[in-house]
Amino acid sequence: KQEVTQIPAALSVPEGENLVLNCSFTDSAIYNLQWFRQDPGKGLTSLLLIQSSQREQTSGRLNASLDKSSGRSTLYIAASQPGDSATYLCAVRRRRDDKIIFGKGTRLHILP
Amino acid sequence: KAGVTQTPRYLIKTRGQQVTLSCSPISGHRSVSWYQQTPGQGLQFLFEYFSETQRNKGNFPGRFSGRQFSNSRSEMNVSTLELGDSALYLCASSFDRINYGYTFGSGTRLTVV
C-alpha cells in the first residue's frame, strides 16, 4: 500500500530563514512526484513536478529533490517570506495502479 | 489563459438529496481528476477521466459518480447525500496524465445538513 508521509505536520520559522520540508513514500515505483501549496479554503497551487527519472527541479526560491531509492523528496525554500505561509502537500503517482496519493501536508507559518 | 473553473463555489444540501458539481479544465487539457478534501482524511482521490473515459477510481461508494464530455468538461454527482459527504471537492486538469503536472481549481465547498 502506497503511503505518503509528511513530517512535521506543522512548522514555524522566522522570516528570512532557509527551510526544508520532507515527504516520504513507501513504494518507489512512481511516475512522478508533485509539490503543491494550499492557502486556507483555497485550491492547490502547483509548485514543482519531478519525473521519476529526474533528481531535482528548481523554480525561483524553491528547489525540490527526489531520491526514489530511499523513497524521499525534499522541498527547499530559500529566504522564507511571510507570503510563503501555507500548507505544503506532496503527491506521487504510483505505477502499479496509476493512482495519485497525497500526503497530509505540512502547515508552514513564517513569522514576520 | 483561463485556469480550472469549478462551479458552484459553495453549496448547501440536505441529507438524502443529490448534487452535481462541474469542472471546466484548462483549454487543451484532456485529463480531469476529482478529489475530496476533509480535515480528518486529507485529500482523497475520487476518479480520473481522460478523453471521456474513466481511467481510474478511488475507494468511494457507488453514490459518487462522474463523467467527462467531449469538450473535456467534467461533472461529478453524489446521490443520497450523507452528513459525512461535507467536504471541499477539488478538480484538477492535466494535458496528459503522466508527463505533465496537475492544475487545480478553487474547489466546491459542499455542506450537507
Side-chain angles (χ1 to χ4, degrees):
Chain A
K1 178 183 175 184
Q2 175 69 286
E3 289 187 349
V4 179
T5 305
Q6 293 185 248
I7 294 173
L11 182 64
S12 293
V13 300
E15 179 179 3
E17 283 199 3
N18 303 324
L19 60 100
V20 174
L21 305 181
N22 298 296
C23 172
S24 60
F25 45 96
T26 54
D27 184 350
S28 62
I30 62 172
Y31 285 115
N32 55 48
L33 182 146
Q34 194 166 359
W35 282 93
F36 298 88
R37 70 172 278 169
Q38 186 176 30
D39 294 287
K42 302 288 179 63
L44 278 64
T45 300
S46 177
L47 297 173
L48 290 164
L49 171 71
I50 310 178
Q51 299 294 346
S52 63
S53 59
Q54 298 174 321
R55 297 284 294 187
E56 66 176 337
Q57 283 287 338
T58 298
S59 175
R61 295 184 293 110
L62 306 179
N63 175 277
S65 68
L66 176 64
D67 183 344
K68 278 196 313 177
S69 62
S70 65
R72 294 183 63 185
S73 176
T74 61
L75 178 67
Y76 174 83
I77 302 177
S80 58
Q81 303 170 358
D84 295 330
S85 296
T87 296
Y88 290 80
L89 299 108
C90 68
V92 299
R93 182 186 280 275
R94 59 191 185 197
R95 287 185 179 270
R96 64 177 175 85
D97 60 6
D98 206 19
K99 288 185 178 177
I100 298 173
I101 309 297
F102 276 85
K104 297 228 171 147
T106 293
R107 192 168 62 253
L108 176 65
H109 182 48
I110 305 299
L111 304 166
Chain B
K1 185 176 183 183
V4 178
T5 303
Q6 290 188 247
T7 56
R9 287 297 311 278
Y10 303 92
L11 207 48
I12 300 176
K13 288 287 189 178
T14 305
R15 264 186 311 173
Q17 287 186 313
Q18 77 165 21
V19 67
T20 299
L21 311 182
S22 179
C23 173
S24 294
I26 290 174
S27 178
H29 284 193
R30 297 174 294 172
S31 174
V32 173
S33 56
W34 289 88
Y35 300 84
Q36 181 195 66
Q37 187 176 34
T38 58
Q41 298 296 320
L43 264 162
Q44 293 187 287
F45 170 71
L46 280 157
F47 25 66
E48 181 178 32
Y49 289 86
F50 185 80
S51 295
E52 300 180 68
T53 301
Q54 186 179 90
R55 297 292 178 156
N56 224 324
K57 191 176 189 304
N59 298 323
F60 279 81
R63 300 185 296 108
F64 292 81
S65 63
R67 59 179 175 168
Q68 186 179 33
F69 302 95
S70 58
N71 62 358
S72 293
R73 190 177 71 85
S74 178
E75 286 182 348
M76 190 192 94
N77 185 274
V78 187
S79 63
T80 319
L81 284 166
E82 301 176 359
L83 295 179
D85 297 333
S86 295
L88 180 66
Y89 289 87
L90 292 164
C91 163
S93 75
S94 177
F95 181 70
D96 80 345
R97 296 174 67 238
I98 300 294
N99 297 307
Y100 293 81
Y102 275 89
T103 301
F104 278 77
S106 298
T108 294
R109 171 74 63 184
L110 172 64
T111 302
V112 182
V113 298

PDB file of all heavy atoms in Angstrom, chain A residues 30-62:
ATOM      1  N   ILE A  30       7.141   4.923  -8.968  1.00  0.00           N
ATOM      2  CA  ILE A  30       6.268   6.054  -9.221  1.00  0.00           C
ATOM      3  C   ILE A  30       6.562   6.643 -10.584  1.00  0.00           C
ATOM      4  O   ILE A  30       7.665   6.497 -11.116  1.00  0.00           O
ATOM      5  CB  ILE A  30       6.438   7.152  -8.136  1.00  0.00           C
ATOM      6  CG1 ILE A  30       7.865   7.707  -8.146  1.00  0.00           C
ATOM      7  CG2 ILE A  30       6.053   6.610  -6.759  1.00  0.00           C
ATOM      8  CD1 ILE A  30       8.058   8.917  -7.233  1.00  0.00           C
ATOM      9  N   TYR A  31       5.574   7.321 -11.146  1.00  0.00           N
ATOM     10  CA  TYR A  31       5.785   8.061 -12.390  1.00  0.00           C
ATOM     11  C   TYR A  31       6.407   9.421 -12.096  1.00  0.00           C
ATOM     12  O   TYR A  31       7.297   9.885 -12.790  1.00  0.00           O
ATOM     13  CB  TYR A  31       4.458   8.292 -13.116  1.00  0.00           C
ATOM     14  CG  TYR A  31       3.893   7.084 -13.811  1.00  0.00           C
ATOM     15  CD1 TYR A  31       2.690   6.515 -13.390  1.00  0.00           C
ATOM     16  CD2 TYR A  31       4.547   6.510 -14.894  1.00  0.00           C
ATOM     17  CE1 TYR A  31       2.158   5.417 -14.027  1.00  0.00           C
ATOM     18  CE2 TYR A  31       4.021   5.399 -15.536  1.00  0.00           C
ATOM     19  CZ  TYR A  31       2.828   4.859 -15.097  1.00  0.00           C
ATOM     20  OH  TYR A  31       2.305   3.768 -15.734  1.00  0.00           O
ATOM     21  N   ASN A  32       5.864  10.075 -11.095  1.00  0.00           N
ATOM     22  CA  ASN A  32       6.331  11.420 -10.762  1.00  0.00           C
ATOM     23  C   ASN A  32       5.921  11.804  -9.356  1.00  0.00           C
ATOM     24  O   ASN A  32       5.138  11.095  -8.687  1.00  0.00           O
ATOM     25  CB  ASN A  32       5.795  12.444 -11.778  1.00  0.00           C
ATOM     26  CG  ASN A  32       4.279  12.417 -11.900  1.00  0.00           C
ATOM     27  OD1 ASN A  32       3.577  12.419 -10.908  1.00  0.00           O
ATOM     28  ND2 ASN A  32       3.779  12.422 -13.126  1.00  0.00           N
ATOM     29  N   LEU A  33       6.438  12.913  -8.896  1.00  0.00           N
ATOM     30  CA  LEU A  33       6.094  13.487  -7.596  1.00  0.00           C
ATOM     31  C   LEU A  33       5.870  14.964  -7.802  1.00  0.00           C
ATOM     32  O   LEU A  33       6.630  15.627  -8.510  1.00  0.00           O
ATOM     33  CB  LEU A  33       7.207  13.226  -6.578  1.00  0.00           C
ATOM     34  CG  LEU A  33       6.960  13.721  -5.146  1.00  0.00           C
ATOM     35  CD1 LEU A  33       7.604  12.773  -4.140  1.00  0.00           C
ATOM     36  CD2 LEU A  33       7.449  15.134  -4.927  1.00  0.00           C
ATOM     37  N   GLN A  34       4.818  15.493  -7.186  1.00  0.00           N
ATOM     38  CA  GLN A  34       4.489  16.900  -7.366  1.00  0.00           C
ATOM     39  C   GLN A  34       4.322  17.561  -6.012  1.00  0.00           C
ATOM     40  O   GLN A  34       3.735  16.968  -5.094  1.00  0.00           O
ATOM     41  CB  GLN A  34       3.194  17.030  -8.200  1.00  0.00           C
ATOM     42  CG  GLN A  34       2.917  18.403  -8.748  1.00  0.00           C
ATOM     43  CD  GLN A  34       1.832  18.407  -9.823  1.00  0.00           C
ATOM     44  OE1 GLN A  34       1.287  17.368 -10.182  1.00  0.00           O
ATOM     45  NE2 GLN A  34       1.521  19.579 -10.358  1.00  0.00           N
ATOM     46  N   TRP A  35       4.827  18.775  -5.890  1.00  0.00           N
ATOM     47  CA  TRP A  35       4.651  19.585  -4.687  1.00  0.00           C
ATOM     48  C   TRP A  35       3.622  20.678  -4.975  1.00  0.00           C
ATOM     49  O   TRP A  35       3.644  21.302  -6.036  1.00  0.00           O
ATOM     50  CB  TRP A  35       5.965  20.238  -4.262  1.00  0.00           C
ATOM     51  CG  TRP A  35       6.899  19.325  -3.551  1.00  0.00           C
ATOM     52  CD1 TRP A  35       7.917  18.578  -4.092  1.00  0.00           C
ATOM     53  CD2 TRP A  35       6.943  19.063  -2.137  1.00  0.00           C
ATOM     54  NE1 TRP A  35       8.569  17.868  -3.121  1.00  0.00           N
ATOM     55  CE2 TRP A  35       8.001  18.153  -1.907  1.00  0.00           C
ATOM     56  CE3 TRP A  35       6.200  19.505  -1.046  1.00  0.00           C
ATOM     57  CZ2 TRP A  35       8.322  17.684  -0.627  1.00  0.00           C
ATOM     58  CZ3 TRP A  35       6.515  19.042   0.218  1.00  0.00           C
ATOM     59  CH2 TRP A  35       7.565  18.138   0.423  1.00  0.00           C
ATOM     60  N   PHE A  36       2.746  20.895  -3.988  1.00  0.00           N
ATOM     61  CA  PHE A  36       1.709  21.913  -4.088  1.00  0.00           C
ATOM     62  C   PHE A  36       1.729  22.769  -2.827  1.00  0.00           C
ATOM     63  O   PHE A  36       2.197  22.339  -1.781  1.00  0.00           O
ATOM     64  CB  PHE A  36       0.314  21.272  -4.172  1.00  0.00           C
ATOM     65  CG  PHE A  36       0.083  20.384  -5.364  1.00  0.00           C
ATOM     66  CD1 PHE A  36       0.411  19.037  -5.316  1.00  0.00           C
ATOM     67  CD2 PHE A  36      -0.492  20.892  -6.521  1.00  0.00           C
ATOM     68  CE1 PHE A  36       0.185  18.210  -6.400  1.00  0.00           C
ATOM     69  CE2 PHE A  36      -0.734  20.076  -7.609  1.00  0.00           C
ATOM     70  CZ  PHE A  36      -0.398  18.734  -7.547  1.00  0.00           C
ATOM     71  N   ARG A  37       1.154  23.952  -2.931  1.00  0.00           N
ATOM     72  CA  ARG A  37       0.826  24.720  -1.744  1.00  0.00           C
ATOM     73  C   ARG A  37      -0.670  24.983  -1.754  1.00  0.00           C
ATOM     74  O   ARG A  37      -1.300  25.086  -2.811  1.00  0.00           O
ATOM     75  CB  ARG A  37       1.612  26.032  -1.650  1.00  0.00           C
ATOM     76  CG  ARG A  37       1.240  27.086  -2.651  1.00  0.00           C
ATOM     77  CD  ARG A  37       1.945  28.409  -2.354  1.00  0.00           C
ATOM     78  NE  ARG A  37       1.245  29.174  -1.321  1.00  0.00           N
ATOM     79  CZ  ARG A  37       1.735  30.252  -0.716  1.00  0.00           C
ATOM     80  NH1 ARG A  37       2.934  30.692  -1.036  1.00  0.00           N
ATOM     81  NH2 ARG A  37       1.042  30.911   0.203  1.00  0.00           N
ATOM     82  N   GLN A  38      -1.225  25.073  -0.552  1.00  0.00           N
ATOM     83  CA  GLN A  38      -2.648  25.350  -0.419  1.00  0.00           C
ATOM     84  C   GLN A  38      -2.849  26.408   0.641  1.00  0.00           C
ATOM     85  O   GLN A  38      -2.422  26.254   1.788  1.00  0.00           O
ATOM     86  CB  GLN A  38      -3.428  24.082  -0.049  1.00  0.00           C
ATOM     87  CG  GLN A  38      -4.936  24.297  -0.035  1.00  0.00           C
ATOM     88  CD  GLN A  38      -5.715  23.031   0.232  1.00  0.00           C
ATOM     89  OE1 GLN A  38      -5.245  22.127   0.910  1.00  0.00           O
ATOM     90  NE2 GLN A  38      -6.927  22.943  -0.318  1.00  0.00           N
ATOM     91  N   ASP A  39      -3.506  27.492   0.248  1.00  0.00           N
ATOM     92  CA  ASP A  39      -3.871  28.533   1.189  1.00  0.00           C
ATOM     93  C   ASP A  39      -5.238  28.182   1.776  1.00  0.00           C
ATOM     94  O   ASP A  39      -6.032  27.494   1.136  1.00  0.00           O
ATOM     95  CB  ASP A  39      -3.883  29.885   0.486  1.00  0.00           C
ATOM     96  CG  ASP A  39      -2.490  30.280   0.033  1.00  0.00           C
ATOM     97  OD1 ASP A  39      -1.684  30.636   0.917  1.00  0.00           O
ATOM     98  OD2 ASP A  39      -2.180  30.187  -1.170  1.00  0.00           O
ATOM     99  N   PRO A  40      -5.526  28.636   2.996  1.00  0.00           N
ATOM    100  CA  PRO A  40      -6.761  28.241   3.683  1.00  0.00           C
ATOM    101  C   PRO A  40      -8.008  28.430   2.825  1.00  0.00           C
ATOM    102  O   PRO A  40      -8.240  29.504   2.273  1.00  0.00           O
ATOM    103  CB  PRO A  40      -6.784  29.160   4.913  1.00  0.00           C
ATOM    104  CG  PRO A  40      -5.355  29.443   5.168  1.00  0.00           C
ATOM    105  CD  PRO A  40      -4.697  29.543   3.815  1.00  0.00           C
ATOM    106  N   GLY A  41      -8.805  27.373   2.711  1.00  0.00           N
ATOM    107  CA  GLY A  41     -10.060  27.434   1.972  1.00  0.00           C
ATOM    108  C   GLY A  41      -9.915  27.504   0.471  1.00  0.00           C
ATOM    109  O   GLY A  41     -10.909  27.692  -0.235  1.00  0.00           O
ATOM    110  N   LYS A  42      -8.713  27.369  -0.024  1.00  0.00           N
ATOM    111  CA  LYS A  42      -8.484  27.508  -1.468  1.00  0.00           C
ATOM    112  C   LYS A  42      -8.084  26.169  -2.092  1.00  0.00           C
ATOM    113  O   LYS A  42      -7.861  25.174  -1.405  1.00  0.00           O
ATOM    114  CB  LYS A  42      -7.370  28.535  -1.720  1.00  0.00           C
ATOM    115  CG  LYS A  42      -7.641  29.910  -1.145  1.00  0.00           C
ATOM    116  CD  LYS A  42      -8.723  30.625  -1.922  1.00  0.00           C
ATOM    117  CE  LYS A  42      -9.021  32.003  -1.349  1.00  0.00           C
ATOM    118  NZ  LYS A  42      -7.852  32.899  -1.436  1.00  0.00           N
ATOM    119  N   GLY A  43      -7.946  26.198  -3.412  1.00  0.00           N
ATOM    120  CA  GLY A  43      -7.460  25.018  -4.118  1.00  0.00           C
ATOM    121  C   GLY A  43      -5.949  24.909  -3.987  1.00  0.00           C
ATOM    122  O   GLY A  43      -5.313  25.665  -3.265  1.00  0.00           O
ATOM    123  N   LEU A  44      -5.389  23.950  -4.714  1.00  0.00           N
ATOM    124  CA  LEU A  44      -3.951  23.721  -4.658  1.00  0.00           C
ATOM    125  C   LEU A  44      -3.253  24.454  -5.797  1.00  0.00           C
ATOM    126  O   LEU A  44      -3.757  24.492  -6.919  1.00  0.00           O
ATOM    127  CB  LEU A  44      -3.649  22.230  -4.782  1.00  0.00           C
ATOM    128  CG  LEU A  44      -3.757  21.375  -3.534  1.00  0.00           C
ATOM    129  CD1 LEU A  44      -5.172  21.325  -3.004  1.00  0.00           C
ATOM    130  CD2 LEU A  44      -3.237  19.976  -3.809  1.00  0.00           C
ATOM    131  N   THR A  45      -2.082  24.990  -5.486  1.00  0.00           N
ATOM    132  CA  THR A  45      -1.248  25.626  -6.500  1.00  0.00           C
ATOM    133  C   THR A  45      -0.026  24.752  -6.721  1.00  0.00           C
ATOM    134  O   THR A  45       0.696  24.423  -5.775  1.00  0.00           O
ATOM    135  CB  THR A  45      -0.800  27.027  -6.044  1.00  0.00           C
ATOM    136  OG1 THR A  45      -1.959  27.823  -5.824  1.00  0.00           O
ATOM    137  CG2 THR A  45       0.090  27.679  -7.089  1.00  0.00           C
ATOM    138  N   SER A  46       0.186  24.352  -7.966  1.00  0.00           N
ATOM    139  CA  SER A  46       1.323  23.500  -8.272  1.00  0.00           C
ATOM    140  C   SER A  46       2.621  24.294  -8.151  1.00  0.00           C
ATOM    141  O   SER A  46       2.721  25.419  -8.630  1.00  0.00           O
ATOM    142  CB  SER A  46       1.202  22.946  -9.694  1.00  0.00           C
ATOM    143  OG  SER A  46       2.340  22.182 -10.015  1.00  0.00           O
ATOM    144  N   LEU A  47       3.605  23.702  -7.484  1.00  0.00           N
ATOM    145  CA  LEU A  47       4.902  24.350  -7.305  1.00  0.00           C
ATOM    146  C   LEU A  47       5.957  23.726  -8.223  1.00  0.00           C
ATOM    147  O   LEU A  47       6.612  24.423  -8.991  1.00  0.00           O
ATOM    148  CB  LEU A  47       5.347  24.232  -5.848  1.00  0.00           C
ATOM    149  CG  LEU A  47       4.453  24.916  -4.819  1.00  0.00           C
ATOM    150  CD1 LEU A  47       4.918  24.586  -3.406  1.00  0.00           C
ATOM    151  CD2 LEU A  47       4.422  26.426  -5.034  1.00  0.00           C
ATOM    152  N   LEU A  48       6.125  22.417  -8.096  1.00  0.00           N
ATOM    153  CA  LEU A  48       7.161  21.736  -8.860  1.00  0.00           C
ATOM    154  C   LEU A  48       6.708  20.307  -9.152  1.00  0.00           C
ATOM    155  O   LEU A  48       6.066  19.677  -8.316  1.00  0.00           O
ATOM    156  CB  LEU A  48       8.480  21.688  -8.079  1.00  0.00           C
ATOM    157  CG  LEU A  48       9.215  23.022  -7.907  1.00  0.00           C
ATOM    158  CD1 LEU A  48      10.258  22.927  -6.805  1.00  0.00           C
ATOM    159  CD2 LEU A  48       9.880  23.434  -9.227  1.00  0.00           C
ATOM    160  N   LEU A  49       7.063  19.825 -10.340  1.00  0.00           N
ATOM    161  CA  LEU A  49       6.806  18.449 -10.732  1.00  0.00           C
ATOM    162  C   LEU A  49       8.144  17.797 -11.030  1.00  0.00           C
ATOM    163  O   LEU A  49       8.944  18.349 -11.799  1.00  0.00           O
ATOM    164  CB  LEU A  49       5.925  18.399 -11.973  1.00  0.00           C
ATOM    165  CG  LEU A  49       5.733  17.032 -12.633  1.00  0.00           C
ATOM    166  CD1 LEU A  49       4.852  16.150 -11.769  1.00  0.00           C
ATOM    167  CD2 LEU A  49       5.153  17.179 -14.028  1.00  0.00           C
ATOM    168  N   ILE A  50       8.408  16.645 -10.429  1.00  0.00           N
ATOM    169  CA  ILE A  50       9.649  15.909 -10.689  1.00  0.00           C
ATOM    170  C   ILE A  50       9.275  14.556 -11.281  1.00  0.00           C
ATOM    171  O   ILE A  50       8.559  13.770 -10.658  1.00  0.00           O
ATOM    172  CB  ILE A  50      10.473  15.662  -9.406  1.00  0.00           C
ATOM    173  CG1 ILE A  50      10.648  16.944  -8.608  1.00  0.00           C
ATOM    174  CG2 ILE A  50      11.841  15.087  -9.761  1.00  0.00           C
ATOM    175  CD1 ILE A  50      11.408  16.727  -7.313  1.00  0.00           C
ATOM    176  N   GLN A  51       9.762  14.282 -12.490  1.00  0.00           N
ATOM    177  CA  GLN A  51       9.549  12.974 -13.095  1.00  0.00           C
ATOM    178  C   GLN A  51      10.443  11.952 -12.388  1.00  0.00           C
ATOM    179  O   GLN A  51      11.460  12.311 -11.794  1.00  0.00           O
ATOM    180  CB  GLN A  51       9.862  13.012 -14.586  1.00  0.00           C
ATOM    181  CG  GLN A  51       8.999  13.986 -15.379  1.00  0.00           C
ATOM    182  CD  GLN A  51       7.533  13.594 -15.412  1.00  0.00           C
ATOM    183  OE1 GLN A  51       7.160  12.470 -15.073  1.00  0.00           O
ATOM    184  NE2 GLN A  51       6.680  14.521 -15.821  1.00  0.00           N
ATOM    185  N   SER A  52      10.084  10.683 -12.500  1.00  0.00           N
ATOM    186  CA  SER A  52      10.824   9.641 -11.783  1.00  0.00           C
ATOM    187  C   SER A  52      12.286   9.553 -12.242  1.00  0.00           C
ATOM    188  O   SER A  52      13.150   9.104 -11.495  1.00  0.00           O
ATOM    189  CB  SER A  52      10.153   8.277 -11.969  1.00  0.00           C
ATOM    190  OG  SER A  52      10.164   7.907 -13.322  1.00  0.00           O
ATOM    191  N   SER A  53      12.555  10.003 -13.460  1.00  0.00           N
ATOM    192  CA  SER A  53      13.924   9.946 -13.992  1.00  0.00           C
ATOM    193  C   SER A  53      14.768  11.152 -13.575  1.00  0.00           C
ATOM    194  O   SER A  53      15.967  11.196 -13.851  1.00  0.00           O
ATOM    195  CB  SER A  53      13.885   9.877 -15.517  1.00  0.00           C
ATOM    196  OG  SER A  53      13.216  11.008 -16.035  1.00  0.00           O
ATOM    197  N   GLN A  54      14.149  12.122 -12.929  1.00  0.00           N
ATOM    198  CA  GLN A  54      14.857  13.342 -12.541  1.00  0.00           C
ATOM    199  C   GLN A  54      15.264  13.293 -11.079  1.00  0.00           C
ATOM    200  O   GLN A  54      14.683  12.563 -10.274  1.00  0.00           O
ATOM    201  CB  GLN A  54      13.967  14.571 -12.791  1.00  0.00           C
ATOM    202  CG  GLN A  54      13.604  14.750 -14.264  1.00  0.00           C
ATOM    203  CD  GLN A  54      12.612  15.878 -14.475  1.00  0.00           C
ATOM    204  OE1 GLN A  54      11.695  16.052 -13.672  1.00  0.00           O
ATOM    205  NE2 GLN A  54      12.784  16.611 -15.555  1.00  0.00           N
ATOM    206  N   ARG A  55      16.263  14.123 -10.741  1.00  0.00           N
ATOM    207  CA  ARG A  55      16.731  14.190  -9.362  1.00  0.00           C
ATOM    208  C   ARG A  55      16.246  15.444  -8.651  1.00  0.00           C
ATOM    209  O   ARG A  55      16.077  15.440  -7.430  1.00  0.00           O
ATOM    210  CB  ARG A  55      18.257  14.173  -9.337  1.00  0.00           C
ATOM    211  CG  ARG A  55      18.879  12.914  -9.873  1.00  0.00           C
ATOM    212  CD  ARG A  55      18.795  11.784  -8.907  1.00  0.00           C
ATOM    213  NE  ARG A  55      19.577  12.016  -7.706  1.00  0.00           N
ATOM    214  CZ  ARG A  55      19.772  11.103  -6.761  1.00  0.00           C
ATOM    215  NH1 ARG A  55      19.223   9.906  -6.887  1.00  0.00           N
ATOM    216  NH2 ARG A  55      20.479  11.367  -5.703  1.00  0.00           N
ATOM    217  N   GLU A  56      16.064  16.529  -9.424  1.00  0.00           N
ATOM    218  CA  GLU A  56      15.597  17.747  -8.789  1.00  0.00           C
ATOM    219  C   GLU A  56      14.988  18.700  -9.811  1.00  0.00           C
ATOM    220  O   GLU A  56      15.195  18.565 -11.021  1.00  0.00           O
ATOM    221  CB  GLU A  56      16.738  18.433  -8.038  1.00  0.00           C
ATOM    222  CG  GLU A  56      17.857  18.962  -8.903  1.00  0.00           C
ATOM    223  CD  GLU A  56      18.899  19.704  -8.067  1.00  0.00           C
ATOM    224  OE1 GLU A  56      18.580  20.169  -6.961  1.00  0.00           O
ATOM    225  OE2 GLU A  56      20.042  19.820  -8.538  1.00  0.00           O
ATOM    226  N   GLN A  57      14.236  19.654  -9.277  1.00  0.00           N
ATOM    227  CA  GLN A  57      13.645  20.714 -10.072  1.00  0.00           C
ATOM    228  C   GLN A  57      13.735  22.001  -9.263  1.00  0.00           C
ATOM    229  O   GLN A  57      13.646  21.978  -8.028  1.00  0.00           O
ATOM    230  CB  GLN A  57      12.176  20.420 -10.387  1.00  0.00           C
ATOM    231  CG  GLN A  57      11.935  19.390 -11.477  1.00  0.00           C
ATOM    232  CD  GLN A  57      12.251  19.927 -12.857  1.00  0.00           C
ATOM    233  OE1 GLN A  57      12.266  21.129 -13.100  1.00  0.00           O
ATOM    234  NE2 GLN A  57      12.533  19.027 -13.786  1.00  0.00           N
ATOM    235  N   THR A  58      13.896  23.113  -9.971  1.00  0.00           N
ATOM    236  CA  THR A  58      14.036  24.407  -9.307  1.00  0.00           C
ATOM    237  C   THR A  58      13.079  25.407  -9.936  1.00  0.00           C
ATOM    238  O   THR A  58      12.872  25.411 -11.153  1.00  0.00           O
ATOM    239  CB  THR A  58      15.482  24.918  -9.430  1.00  0.00           C
ATOM    240  OG1 THR A  58      16.357  23.994  -8.780  1.00  0.00           O
ATOM    241  CG2 THR A  58      15.623  26.280  -8.786  1.00  0.00           C
ATOM    242  N   SER A  59      12.531  26.255  -9.058  1.00  0.00           N
ATOM    243  CA  SER A  59      11.708  27.355  -9.528  1.00  0.00           C
ATOM    244  C   SER A  59      11.866  28.496  -8.538  1.00  0.00           C
ATOM    245  O   SER A  59      11.383  28.426  -7.399  1.00  0.00           O
ATOM    246  CB  SER A  59      10.231  26.943  -9.624  1.00  0.00           C
ATOM    247  OG  SER A  59       9.424  28.045  -9.978  1.00  0.00           O
ATOM    248  N   GLY A  60      12.591  29.533  -8.954  1.00  0.00           N
ATOM    249  CA  GLY A  60      12.802  30.670  -8.070  1.00  0.00           C
ATOM    250  C   GLY A  60      13.495  30.268  -6.778  1.00  0.00           C
ATOM    251  O   GLY A  60      14.576  29.682  -6.796  1.00  0.00           O
ATOM    252  N   ARG A  61      12.845  30.567  -5.663  1.00  0.00           N
ATOM    253  CA  ARG A  61      13.443  30.237  -4.356  1.00  0.00           C
ATOM    254  C   ARG A  61      13.169  28.799  -3.929  1.00  0.00           C
ATOM    255  O   ARG A  61      13.555  28.388  -2.829  1.00  0.00           O
ATOM    256  CB  ARG A  61      12.878  31.200  -3.290  1.00  0.00           C
ATOM    257  CG  ARG A  61      13.262  32.655  -3.491  1.00  0.00           C
ATOM    258  CD  ARG A  61      12.744  33.539  -2.357  1.00  0.00           C
ATOM    259  NE  ARG A  61      11.275  33.609  -2.352  1.00  0.00           N
ATOM    260  CZ  ARG A  61      10.505  33.061  -1.439  1.00  0.00           C
ATOM    261  NH1 ARG A  61      11.025  32.384  -0.436  1.00  0.00           N
ATOM    262  NH2 ARG A  61       9.197  33.202  -1.512  1.00  0.00           N
ATOM    263  N   LEU A  62      12.503  28.045  -4.761  1.00  0.00           N
ATOM    264  CA  LEU A  62      12.138  26.668  -4.426  1.00  0.00           C
ATOM    265  C   LEU A  62      13.018  25.672  -5.168  1.00  0.00           C
ATOM    266  O   LEU A  62      13.316  25.846  -6.341  1.00  0.00           O
ATOM    267  CB  LEU A  62      10.675  26.399  -4.791  1.00  0.00           C
ATOM    268  CG  LEU A  62       9.624  27.335  -4.222  1.00  0.00           C
ATOM    269  CD1 LEU A  62       8.252  26.928  -4.714  1.00  0.00           C
ATOM    270  CD2 LEU A  62       9.674  27.361  -2.705  1.00  0.00           C
TER     271      LEU A  62
END
